Amino acid sequence: MISLTMDMVQYDCPYITVTDDVDVSFYTMHWDFNAAREALETRILVKGDDRGALTNGLGALREQAGMRGFDLLSRQGESAVIKSFIDQTNAMKVIRENDGYITGPFRIREGSELWNVGFDTSDAADDALSDLERENDFSIEARTSTTLDDYLDIVQNVDPAKELLDGCRALSDVERDTLERAVDGGYFQTPREATLGTLAEEFDVSKTAASKNLRRSEQKVLERVVAAMSSLDETARSGCE
């Protein structure tokens, strides 16, 4: 499998046009061509710089050429999730016609998109890139070849990866900052280049407070690491059966 990360500018994409004019961003990991409606159906996270920007962005999106409409699935603060329908863009058509598929999240902001797409063969990827050049501007940020073993490793270890992500998300801002400073400062090295005293000075707290924040962050992360290790062991055992 060939995976491409691309910085893409489509001139017929309503989402890109909106981010040129309004302080909103779009994020998605799913789009599907609805043959009956001859439209791309997409579920998208929309984030505004503030509530007003989100409102303006949603309003502007409805007015864009190529926009068939959208349903507001949820909204909270400056974020919303929508189910939208747009005319198929040239770039999306090229990806589909060359048997491409999504391999990671799409991010749309400030007039361009970050795409993560894959192809089964190098020839298919090259053909798609050649076709894209005709009506779109893009640059290749990364191109990687994934072997079957790599692919299986990714698919089989989704749960352990999620465990680690959940551990990071569980940290408070103070706990995360303290742990980052401790690692960057050499607290865990031998000999230590940072101490509880230097961490306390950086955050303007007592040594006791710095120690508590560090211990809490270590506990939350290490609990998830142990859980992830258990999941990896279970995956390895099931693969041997």
Side-chain angles (χ1 to χ4, degrees), residues 126-218:
D126 291 339
D127 289 343
L129 293 176
S130 178
D131 291 342
L132 284 171
E133 287 179 338
R134 297 172 187 171
E135 297 187 30
N136 307 274
D137 288 331
F138 64 90
S139 61
I140 304 299
E141 303 296 311
R143 176 171 177 151
T144 58
S145 177
T146 303
T147 65
L148 177 60
D149 287 342
D150 292 335
Y151 185 76
L152 290 174
D153 192 39
I154 293 170
V155 172
Q156 292 175 343
N157 293 305
V158 168
D159 288 340
K162 185 177 183 301
E163 290 281 0
L164 295 177
L165 287 174
D166 287 343
C168 294
R169 294 190 184 104
L171 296 175
S172 69
D173 290 343
V174 171
E175 290 165 351
R176 183 177 64 249
D177 290 344
T178 302
L179 184 59
E180 288 178 348
R181 296 286 183 86
V183 172
D184 292 342
Y187 180 83
F188 298 102
Q189 294 179 4
T190 303
R192 286 180 173 174
E193 296 182 11
T195 65
L196 285 177
T198 59
L199 290 174
E201 289 178 3
E202 283 196 56
F203 291 97
D204 194 23
V205 297
S206 66
K207 288 184 180 180
T208 300
S211 176
K212 286 182 178 179
N213 290 331
L214 188 57
R215 286 204 310 274
R216 289 193 191 105
S217 65
E218 290 174 310

Coordinates of all heavy atoms in Angstrom, one line a residue, residues 126-218:
D126 N 0.7 7.0 -8.8 CA 1.3 7.9 -9.8 C 0.3 8.4 -10.8 O 0.3 9.5 -11.2 CB 2.5 7.2 -10.5 CG 3.7 6.9 -9.6 OD1 3.8 7.6 -8.5 OD2 4.5 6.0 -9.9
D127 N -0.6 7.5 -11.2 CA -1.6 7.9 -12.1 C -2.6 8.9 -11.5 O -2.9 9.9 -12.2 CB -2.5 6.6 -12.6 CG -1.7 5.7 -13.5 OD1 -0.7 6.1 -14.0 OD2 -2.1 4.5 -13.6
A128 N -2.9 8.7 -10.3 CA -3.8 9.7 -9.6 C -3.1 11.1 -9.5 O -3.7 12.1 -9.7 CB -4.1 9.2 -8.2
L129 N -1.8 11.1 -9.1 CA -1.1 12.3 -9.0 C -1.0 13.1 -10.3 O -1.2 14.3 -10.4 CB 0.3 12.1 -8.5 CG 0.4 11.6 -7.0 CD1 1.8 11.3 -6.6 CD2 -0.2 12.6 -6.0
S130 N -0.8 12.3 -11.4 CA -0.8 12.9 -12.7 C -2.1 13.5 -13.1 O -2.2 14.6 -13.6 CB -0.4 11.8 -13.8 OG -0.4 12.4 -15.1
D131 N -3.2 12.8 -12.8 CA -4.6 13.4 -13.1 C -4.9 14.6 -12.2 O -5.5 15.5 -12.7 CB -5.6 12.3 -12.9 CG -5.5 11.2 -13.9 OD1 -4.9 11.4 -14.9 OD2 -6.1 10.1 -13.6
L132 N -4.4 14.6 -11.0 CA -4.7 15.7 -10.0 C -4.1 17.0 -10.5 O -4.6 18.1 -10.2 CB -4.2 15.3 -8.6 CG -5.1 14.3 -7.8 CD1 -4.4 13.9 -6.6 CD2 -6.5 14.9 -7.5
E133 N -2.9 16.9 -11.1 CA -2.2 18.1 -11.5 C -3.0 18.9 -12.5 O -2.7 20.1 -12.6 CB -0.9 17.7 -12.1 CG 0.2 17.2 -11.1 CD 1.5 16.8 -11.7 OE1 1.5 16.5 -13.0 OE2 2.5 16.8 -11.0
R134 N -3.9 18.4 -13.2 CA -4.6 19.1 -14.3 C -5.5 20.2 -13.7 O -5.6 21.3 -14.4 CB -5.5 18.1 -15.1 CG -4.6 17.1 -15.8 CD -5.5 16.0 -16.5 NE -4.7 14.9 -17.0 CZ -5.2 13.8 -17.5 NH1 -6.6 13.6 -17.4 NH2 -4.5 12.8 -18.0
E135 N -6.1 20.0 -12.6 CA -7.1 21.0 -12.1 C -6.9 21.4 -10.6 O -7.7 22.1 -10.1 CB -8.5 20.5 -12.3 CG -8.9 20.3 -13.8 CD -10.4 20.0 -14.0 OE1 -11.2 20.5 -13.1 OE2 -10.7 19.3 -14.9
N136 N -5.8 20.9 -10.0 CA -5.6 21.2 -8.6 C -4.2 21.5 -8.3 O -3.3 21.2 -9.1 CB -6.0 19.9 -7.7 CG -7.4 19.4 -8.0 OD1 -8.4 19.9 -7.5 ND2 -7.5 18.5 -8.9
D137 N -4.0 22.2 -7.2 CA -2.6 22.5 -6.7 C -2.3 21.7 -5.5 O -3.2 21.7 -4.6 CB -2.4 24.0 -6.4 CG -2.4 24.9 -7.7 OD1 -1.9 24.3 -8.7 OD2 -2.8 26.0 -7.6
F138 N -1.2 21.0 -5.4 CA -0.9 20.2 -4.2 C 0.6 20.0 -4.1 O 1.3 20.2 -5.1 CB -1.6 18.9 -4.3 CG -1.2 18.0 -5.4 CD1 -0.1 17.1 -5.3 CD2 -1.8 18.1 -6.7 CE1 0.3 16.3 -6.3 CE2 -1.4 17.3 -7.7 CZ -0.3 16.4 -7.5
S139 N 1.0 19.7 -2.9 CA 2.4 19.2 -2.7 C 2.3 18.0 -1.9 O 1.4 17.8 -1.0 CB 3.2 20.3 -1.9 OG 2.6 20.6 -0.7
I140 N 3.3 17.1 -2.1 CA 3.4 15.8 -1.4 C 4.2 16.1 -0.1 O 5.4 16.3 -0.1 CB 4.0 14.7 -2.2 CG1 3.3 14.5 -3.5 CG2 4.1 13.4 -1.4 CD1 1.8 14.1 -3.4
E141 N 3.5 16.0 1.0 CA 4.2 16.1 2.3 C 4.9 14.8 2.8 O 6.0 14.9 3.4 CB 3.2 16.5 3.4 CG 2.4 17.8 3.1 CD 3.3 19.0 3.0 OE1 4.1 19.2 3.9 OE2 3.2 19.8 2.0
A142 N 4.3 13.7 2.4 CA 5.0 12.4 2.8 C 4.4 11.3 1.8 O 3.3 11.4 1.4 CB 4.7 12.1 4.2
R143 N 5.3 10.4 1.5 CA 4.9 9.2 0.7 C 5.6 8.0 1.3 O 6.8 7.9 1.4 CB 5.3 9.4 -0.8 CG 5.0 8.2 -1.6 CD 5.2 8.4 -3.1 NE 5.0 7.2 -3.9 CZ 4.6 7.2 -5.2 NH1 4.3 8.4 -5.8 NH2 4.4 6.1 -5.8
T144 N 4.8 7.1 1.8 CA 5.4 5.9 2.4 C 4.7 4.6 1.8 O 3.6 4.6 1.3 CB 5.1 5.9 3.9 OG1 3.7 6.0 4.2 CG2 5.7 7.1 4.6
S145 N 5.5 3.6 1.9 CA 5.1 2.3 1.4 C 4.8 1.4 2.6 O 5.8 1.2 3.4 CB 6.1 1.6 0.5 OG 5.7 0.3 0.1
T146 N 3.6 0.8 2.7 CA 3.3 0.0 3.9 C 3.2 -1.4 3.5 O 2.5 -1.8 2.6 CB 1.9 0.5 4.5 OG1 2.0 1.8 4.8 CG2 1.6 -0.3 5.7
T147 N 4.0 -2.3 4.1 CA 3.9 -3.7 3.8 C 2.7 -4.4 4.5 O 2.1 -3.8 5.4 CB 5.2 -4.4 4.3 OG1 5.2 -4.3 5.8 CG2 6.5 -3.7 3.8
L148 N 2.4 -5.6 4.1 CA 1.3 -6.3 4.7 C 1.6 -6.5 6.2 O 0.6 -6.3 7.0 CB 1.2 -7.7 4.1 CG 0.1 -8.6 4.7 CD1 -1.3 -7.9 4.6 CD2 0.1 -10.0 4.0
D149 N 2.8 -6.7 6.7 CA 3.1 -6.9 8.1 C 2.8 -5.6 8.8 O 2.3 -5.5 9.9 CB 4.5 -7.3 8.3 CG 4.8 -8.8 7.9 OD1 3.8 -9.5 7.8 OD2 5.9 -9.1 7.7
D150 N 3.2 -4.4 8.2 CA 3.0 -3.1 8.8 C 1.5 -2.9 9.0 O 1.0 -2.4 10.0 CB 3.6 -2.0 8.0 CG 5.1 -2.0 8.0 OD1 5.7 -2.6 9.0 OD2 5.7 -1.6 7.0
Y151 N 0.7 -3.2 7.9 CA -0.7 -3.0 7.9 C -1.4 -3.8 9.0 O -2.2 -3.3 9.7 CB -1.3 -3.3 6.5 CG -2.7 -3.0 6.4 CD1 -3.2 -1.7 6.2 CD2 -3.7 -4.1 6.4 CE1 -4.5 -1.5 6.0 CE2 -5.0 -3.8 6.3 CZ -5.4 -2.5 6.1 OH -6.8 -2.2 6.0
L152 N -1.0 -5.1 9.1 CA -1.6 -6.0 10.1 C -1.2 -5.5 11.5 O -2.1 -5.5 12.4 CB -1.0 -7.4 9.9 CG -1.6 -8.1 8.7 CD1 -0.9 -9.5 8.6 CD2 -3.1 -8.3 8.8
D153 N 0.0 -4.9 11.7 CA 0.4 -4.4 13.0 C -0.5 -3.2 13.4 O -0.9 -3.1 14.5 CB 1.9 -4.0 12.9 CG 2.4 -3.7 14.3 OD1 2.1 -4.5 15.2 OD2 3.2 -2.8 14.4
I154 N -0.8 -2.4 12.4 CA -1.6 -1.2 12.7 C -3.0 -1.7 13.1 O -3.6 -1.2 14.1 CB -1.7 -0.3 11.5 CG1 -0.3 0.4 11.3 CG2 -2.7 0.8 11.7 CD1 -0.2 1.1 10.0
V155 N -3.6 -2.5 12.2 CA -5.0 -3.0 12.4 C -5.1 -3.7 13.7 O -6.1 -3.5 14.5 CB -5.4 -3.8 11.2 CG1 -6.8 -4.4 11.5 CG2 -5.5 -3.0 10.0
Q156 N -4.2 -4.6 14.0 CA -4.3 -5.5 15.2 C -4.1 -4.8 16.5 O -4.5 -5.2 17.6 CB -3.4 -6.7 15.1 CG -3.8 -7.6 14.0 CD -2.8 -8.7 13.8 OE1 -1.6 -8.6 14.3 NE2 -3.2 -9.8 13.1
N157 N -3.4 -3.6 16.5 CA -3.0 -2.9 17.7 C -3.7 -1.6 17.9 O -3.2 -0.7 18.5 CB -1.5 -2.7 17.7 CG -0.8 -4.0 17.9 OD1 -1.0 -4.8 18.8 ND2 0.1 -4.3 16.9
V158 N -4.9 -1.5 17.3 CA -5.7 -0.2 17.5 C -6.1 0.0 18.9 O -6.0 1.1 19.5 CB -7.0 -0.3 16.6 CG1 -7.9 0.8 17.0 CG2 -6.6 -0.2 15.1
D159 N -6.5 -1.1 19.6 CA -6.9 -1.0 21.0 C -5.8 -0.5 21.9 O -6.0 0.4 22.8 CB -7.5 -2.3 21.5 CG -8.9 -2.6 20.9 OD1 -9.5 -1.6 20.4 OD2 -9.3 -3.8 20.9
P160 N -4.6 -1.1 21.8 CA -3.5 -0.6 22.7 C -3.1 0.9 22.4 O -2.8 1.6 23.3 CB -2.3 -1.5 22.3 CG -2.9 -2.8 21.8 CD -4.2 -2.4 21.2
A161 N -3.2 1.2 21.1 CA -2.9 2.6 20.8 C -4.0 3.6 21.4 O -3.6 4.6 21.9 CB -2.9 2.8 19.2
K162 N -5.2 3.1 21.4 CA -6.3 3.9 22.0 C -6.1 4.0 23.5 O -6.3 5.1 24.1 CB -7.6 3.3 21.7 CG -8.8 4.1 22.2 CD -10.1 3.5 21.9 CE -11.3 4.4 22.3 NZ -11.3 4.7 23.8
E163 N -5.6 3.0 24.1 CA -5.3 3.0 25.6 C -4.3 4.1 25.9 O -4.5 4.9 26.8 CB -4.7 1.7 26.1 CG -5.7 0.5 26.1 CD -6.6 0.6 27.3 OE1 -6.5 1.5 28.1 OE2 -7.5 -0.3 27.4
L164 N -3.2 4.2 25.1 CA -2.2 5.2 25.3 C -2.8 6.6 25.1 O -2.5 7.6 25.8 CB -1.0 5.0 24.4 CG -0.2 3.7 24.6 CD1 0.9 3.5 23.6 CD2 0.4 3.7 26.0
L165 N -3.6 6.8 24.0 CA -4.2 8.1 23.8 C -5.1 8.5 24.9 O -5.1 9.7 25.3 CB -5.0 8.0 22.4 CG -4.1 8.0 21.2 CD1 -5.1 7.8 20.0 CD2 -3.4 9.3 21.0
D166 N -5.9 7.6 25.4 CA -6.8 7.9 26.5 C -6.0 8.3 27.8 O -6.5 9.2 28.5 CB -7.6 6.6 26.9 CG -8.7 6.4 25.8 OD1 -9.0 7.3 25.0 OD2 -9.3 5.2 25.8
G167 N -4.8 7.7 28.0 CA -4.0 8.1 29.1 C -3.5 9.5 29.0 O -3.5 10.3 29.9
C168 N -3.2 9.9 27.7 CA -2.7 11.3 27.5 C -3.9 12.3 27.7 O -3.7 13.4 28.3 CB -2.2 11.4 26.1 SG -0.6 10.5 25.8
R169 N -5.1 11.9 27.2 CA -6.2 12.8 27.3 C -6.7 12.9 28.8 O -7.3 13.9 29.2 CB -7.4 12.2 26.5 CG -7.2 12.2 25.0 CD -8.4 11.9 24.3 NE -8.2 11.8 22.8 CZ -8.2 10.7 22.1 NH1 -8.3 9.6 22.8 NH2 -8.0 10.7 20.8
A170 N -6.4 11.9 29.6 CA -6.8 12.0 31.0 C -6.0 13.0 31.9 O -6.4 13.4 33.0 CB -6.7 10.6 31.7
L171 N -4.9 13.4 31.3 CA -4.0 14.4 32.1 C -4.7 15.8 32.1 O -5.2 16.2 31.1 CB -2.6 14.5 31.4 CG -1.8 13.2 31.4 CD1 -0.5 13.5 30.7 CD2 -1.5 12.8 32.9
S172 N -4.6 16.4 33.2 CA -5.0 17.8 33.3 C -3.9 18.7 32.6 O -2.8 18.2 32.4 CB -5.2 18.3 34.7 OG -3.9 18.3 35.4
D173 N -4.2 19.9 32.3 CA -3.2 20.8 31.7 C -1.9 20.9 32.6 O -0.8 20.9 32.1 CB -3.8 22.2 31.5 CG -4.8 22.2 30.4 OD1 -4.9 21.2 29.6 OD2 -5.6 23.2 30.3
V174 N -2.1 21.0 33.9 CA -1.0 21.2 34.8 C -0.2 19.9 34.8 O 1.1 19.9 34.8 CB -1.5 21.5 36.2 CG1 -0.3 21.5 37.2 CG2 -2.1 22.9 36.2
E175 N -0.9 18.8 34.9 CA -0.2 17.5 34.9 C 0.6 17.2 33.6 O 1.8 16.8 33.7 CB -1.2 16.3 35.1 CG -1.8 16.3 36.5 CD -3.0 15.4 36.6 OE1 -3.5 15.0 35.6 OE2 -3.5 15.2 37.7
R176 N 0.0 17.6 32.5 CA 0.7 17.4 31.2 C 1.9 18.3 31.1 O 3.0 17.8 30.7 CB -0.3 17.7 30.1 CG 0.4 17.4 28.7 CD -0.6 17.6 27.5 NE -1.0 19.0 27.5 CZ -2.2 19.4 27.7 NH1 -3.2 18.6 28.1 NH2 -2.5 20.7 27.6
D177 N 1.7 19.6 31.5 CA 2.9 20.5 31.4 C 4.0 20.1 32.4 O 5.2 20.2 32.0 CB 2.4 21.9 31.8 CG 1.5 22.5 30.7 OD1 1.5 22.0 29.6 OD2 0.8 23.5 31.0
T178 N 3.6 19.6 33.5 CA 4.7 19.2 34.5 C 5.4 18.0 34.0 O 6.7 17.9 34.0 CB 4.0 18.8 35.9 OG1 3.3 20.0 36.4 CG2 5.1 18.4 36.9
L179 N 4.7 17.0 33.4 CA 5.4 15.8 32.9 C 6.3 16.2 31.7 O 7.4 15.7 31.6 CB 4.3 14.8 32.4 CG 4.9 13.4 31.9 CD1 5.7 12.8 33.0 CD2 3.7 12.5 31.5
E180 N 5.8 17.0 30.8 CA 6.6 17.5 29.7 C 7.9 18.2 30.1 O 9.0 17.9 29.6 CB 5.8 18.4 28.7 CG 4.7 17.6 28.0 CD 3.8 18.6 27.1 OE1 4.0 19.8 27.3 OE2 3.1 18.1 26.3
R181 N 7.7 19.1 31.1 CA 8.9 19.8 31.5 C 9.9 18.8 32.2 O 11.1 19.0 32.1 CB 8.5 20.9 32.5 CG 7.6 22.0 31.9 CD 8.4 22.9 31.0 NE 7.6 24.0 30.5 CZ 7.3 25.1 31.2 NH1 7.9 25.3 32.4 NH2 6.5 26.1 30.7
A182 N 9.4 17.9 32.9 CA 10.2 16.9 33.6 C 11.0 16.1 32.6 O 12.3 15.9 32.7 CB 9.4 16.0 34.5
V183 N 10.4 15.6 31.5 CA 11.0 14.8 30.5 C 12.1 15.7 29.7 O 13.2 15.3 29.6 CB 10.0 14.2 29.5 CG1 10.7 13.6 28.4 CG2 9.2 13.2 30.3
D184 N 11.6 16.9 29.3 CA 12.5 17.7 28.5 C 13.7 18.2 29.3 O 14.8 18.4 28.8 CB 11.7 19.0 28.0 CG 10.7 18.6 27.0 OD1 10.8 17.5 26.4 OD2 9.7 19.4 26.7
G185 N 13.4 18.4 30.6 CA 14.5 18.9 31.5 C 15.5 17.9 32.0 O 16.5 18.2 32.6
G186 N 15.2 16.6 31.7 CA 16.1 15.6 32.2 C 15.9 15.0 33.5 O 16.7 14.4 34.2
Y187 N 14.6 15.2 34.1 CA 14.3 14.7 35.4 C 14.5 13.2 35.5 O 14.9 12.7 36.6 CB 12.9 15.1 35.8 CG 12.4 14.6 37.1 CD1 12.8 15.4 38.3 CD2 11.7 13.5 37.3 CE1 12.4 15.0 39.5 CE2 11.3 13.0 38.6 CZ 11.6 13.8 39.7 OH 11.3 13.4 40.9
F188 N 14.2 12.4 34.5 CA 14.3 11.0 34.5 C 15.6 10.4 34.1 O 15.8 9.2 34.0 CB 13.1 10.4 33.7 CG 11.7 10.8 34.2 CD1 11.0 11.8 33.5 CD2 11.2 10.1 35.3 CE1 9.8 12.1 34.0 CE2 10.0 10.5 35.7 CZ 9.2 11.5 35.1
Q189 N 16.6 11.3 33.8 CA 17.9 10.8 33.4 C 18.7 10.5 34.6 O 18.4 10.9 35.7 CB 18.6 11.9 32.5 CG 17.9 12.1 31.2 CD 18.6 13.2 30.4 OE1 19.6 13.7 30.8 NE2 18.0 13.6 29.2
T190 N 19.8 9.8 34.4 CA 20.8 9.5 35.4 C 22.2 10.0 35.0 O 22.7 9.5 34.0 CB 20.9 8.0 35.7 OG1 19.5 7.5 36.1 CG2 21.8 7.7 36.9
P191 N 22.8 11.0 35.7 CA 22.2 11.7 36.8 C 21.1 12.7 36.4 O 21.1 13.1 35.2 CB 23.4 12.5 37.4 CG 24.3 12.7 36.3 CD 24.1 11.5 35.4
R192 N 20.2 13.1 37.3 CA 19.1 14.0 36.9 C 19.7 15.4 36.6 O 20.5 16.0 37.3 CB 18.2 14.2 38.1 CG 17.3 12.9 38.3 CD 16.3 13.1 39.4 NE 15.4 12.0 39.5 CZ 14.5 11.9 40.5 NH1 14.5 12.7 41.5 NH2 13.7 10.8 40.5
E193 N 19.1 16.0 35.5 CA 19.5 17.3 35.1 C 18.4 18.3 35.7 O 18.6 19.5 35.7 CB 19.6 17.4 33.6 CG 20.7 16.6 33.0 CD 20.8 16.8 31.5 OE1 20.1 17.7 31.0 OE2 21.5 16.0 30.9
A194 N 17.2 17.8 36.0 CA 16.2 18.6 36.6 C 15.8 17.9 37.9 O 15.9 16.7 38.1 CB 15.0 18.7 35.7
T195 N 15.3 18.7 38.9 CA 14.9 18.2 40.2 C 13.5 18.8 40.5 O 13.0 19.6 39.8 CB 15.9 18.7 41.3 OG1 15.8 20.2 41.4 CG2 17.3 18.3 40.9
L196 N 12.9 18.3 41.6 CA 11.6 18.8 42.0 C 11.8 20.3 42.3 O 10.8 21.1 42.1 CB 11.2 18.1 43.3 CG 10.6 16.7 43.1 CD1 10.2 16.1 44.4 CD2 9.4 16.7 42.2
G197 N 12.9 20.7 42.8 CA 13.2 22.1 43.0 C 13.1 23.0 41.8 O 12.4 24.0 41.7
T198 N 13.7 22.5 40.7 CA 13.7 23.3 39.4 C 12.3 23.3 38.8 O 11.8 24.3 38.2 CB 14.7 22.7 38.4 OG1 14.4 21.4 38.1 CG2 16.1 22.9 39.0
L199 N 11.6 22.1 38.9 CA 10.2 22.1 38.4 C 9.3 23.0 39.2 O 8.5 23.7 38.7 CB 9.7 20.7 38.5 CG 10.3 19.6 37.6 CD1 9.7 18.2 37.9 CD2 10.0 20.0 36.1
A200 N 9.5 23.1 40.5 CA 8.7 23.9 41.4 C 8.9 25.4 41.0 O 8.0 26.2 40.9 CB 9.0 23.7 42.9
E201 N 10.2 25.7 40.7 CA 10.5 27.1 40.3 C 9.9 27.5 39.0 O 9.3 28.6 38.8 CB 12.0 27.3 40.3 CG 12.7 27.3 41.6 CD 14.2 27.4 41.5 OE1 14.7 27.6 40.3 OE2 14.9 27.3 42.5
E202 N 9.9 26.5 38.1 CA 9.3 26.8 36.7 C 7.8 27.1 36.8 O 7.3 28.0 36.1 CB 9.5 25.6 35.8 CG 11.0 25.5 35.2 CD 11.0 24.6 34.0 OE1 10.3 24.9 33.1 OE2 11.8 23.7 34.1
F203 N 7.1 26.4 37.7 CA 5.7 26.6 37.8 C 5.2 27.5 39.0 O 4.1 27.6 39.2 CB 5.0 25.2 37.9 CG 5.1 24.3 36.7 CD1 6.1 23.4 36.6 CD2 4.2 24.5 35.6 CE1 6.2 22.6 35.4 CE2 4.3 23.8 34.5 CZ 5.3 22.8 34.4
D204 N 6.2 28.0 39.7 CA 6.0 28.9 40.8 C 5.1 28.2 41.8 O 4.0 28.7 42.3 CB 5.4 30.2 40.3 CG 5.4 31.2 41.4 OD1 6.2 31.1 42.3 OD2 4.5 32.2 41.4
V205 N 5.4 26.9 42.2 CA 4.6 26.2 43.2 C 5.6 25.6 44.2 O 6.9 25.7 44.0 CB 3.8 25.1 42.6 CG1 2.7 25.6 41.7 CG2 4.7 24.1 41.8
S206 N 5.1 25.0 45.2 CA 6.0 24.3 46.2 C 6.5 23.0 45.7 O 6.0 22.5 44.7 CB 5.2 24.1 47.5 OG 4.2 23.1 47.3
K207 N 7.6 22.5 46.3 CA 8.1 21.2 45.8 C 7.0 20.1 46.0 O 6.9 19.2 45.2 CB 9.3 20.8 46.7 CG 10.6 21.6 46.3 CD 11.8 21.1 47.1 CE 13.0 21.9 46.8 NZ 14.2 21.4 47.5
T208 N 6.3 20.2 47.1 CA 5.2 19.2 47.4 C 4.2 19.2 46.3 O 3.8 18.2 45.8 CB 4.5 19.5 48.7 OG1 5.5 19.5 49.8 CG2 3.4 18.5 49.0
A209 N 3.8 20.4 45.8 CA 2.8 20.5 44.7 C 3.4 20.0 43.4 O 2.7 19.3 42.7 CB 2.4 22.0 44.6
A210 N 4.6 20.3 43.1 CA 5.3 19.8 41.9 C 5.3 18.3 42.0 O 5.1 17.6 41.0 CB 6.6 20.4 41.8
S211 N 5.7 17.7 43.1 CA 5.7 16.3 43.3 C 4.4 15.6 43.1 O 4.3 14.6 42.4 CB 6.3 15.9 44.7 OG 6.3 14.5 44.9
K212 N 3.3 16.2 43.6 CA 2.0 15.6 43.5 C 1.6 15.7 42.0 O 1.0 14.7 41.5 CB 1.0 16.4 44.3 CG 1.1 16.1 45.8 CD 0.0 16.9 46.6 CE 0.1 16.6 48.1 NZ -0.9 17.4 48.8
N213 N 1.8 16.8 41.3 CA 1.4 16.9 39.9 C 2.2 15.8 39.1 O 1.6 15.2 38.2 CB 1.7 18.3 39.4 CG 0.7 19.3 40.0 OD1 -0.4 19.0 40.3 ND2 1.2 20.5 40.1
L214 N 3.5 15.7 39.4 CA 4.3 14.7 38.6 C 3.8 13.3 38.9 O 3.7 12.5 38.0 CB 5.7 14.9 39.0 CG 6.7 14.1 38.1 CD1 6.6 14.4 36.6 CD2 8.2 14.4 38.6
R215 N 3.5 13.0 40.1 CA 3.1 11.6 40.5 C 1.8 11.3 39.9 O 1.5 10.2 39.4 CB 3.0 11.4 42.0 CG 4.4 11.3 42.7 CD 4.3 10.6 44.1 NE 3.2 11.1 44.9 CZ 3.3 12.2 45.7 NH1 4.5 12.8 45.8 NH2 2.3 12.6 46.4
R216 N 0.8 12.3 39.9 CA -0.5 12.0 39.3 C -0.3 11.7 37.8 O -1.0 10.9 37.2 CB -1.4 13.2 39.5 CG -1.9 13.4 40.9 CD -3.0 14.4 41.0 NE -3.3 14.8 42.3 CZ -3.0 16.0 42.9 NH1 -2.3 16.9 42.2 NH2 -3.3 16.2 44.1
S217 N 0.5 12.5 37.1 CA 0.7 12.4 35.7 C 1.3 11.0 35.4 O 0.9 10.3 34.4 CB 1.5 13.5 35.1 OG 2.8 13.5 35.6
E218 N 2.3 10.6 36.2 CA 3.0 9.3 36.0 C 2.0 8.2 36.2 O 2.0 7.2 35.4 CB 4.1 9.2 37.0 CG 5.3 10.1 36.7 CD 6.4 10.0 37.8 OE1 6.0 10.1 39.0 OE2 7.5 9.7 37.4

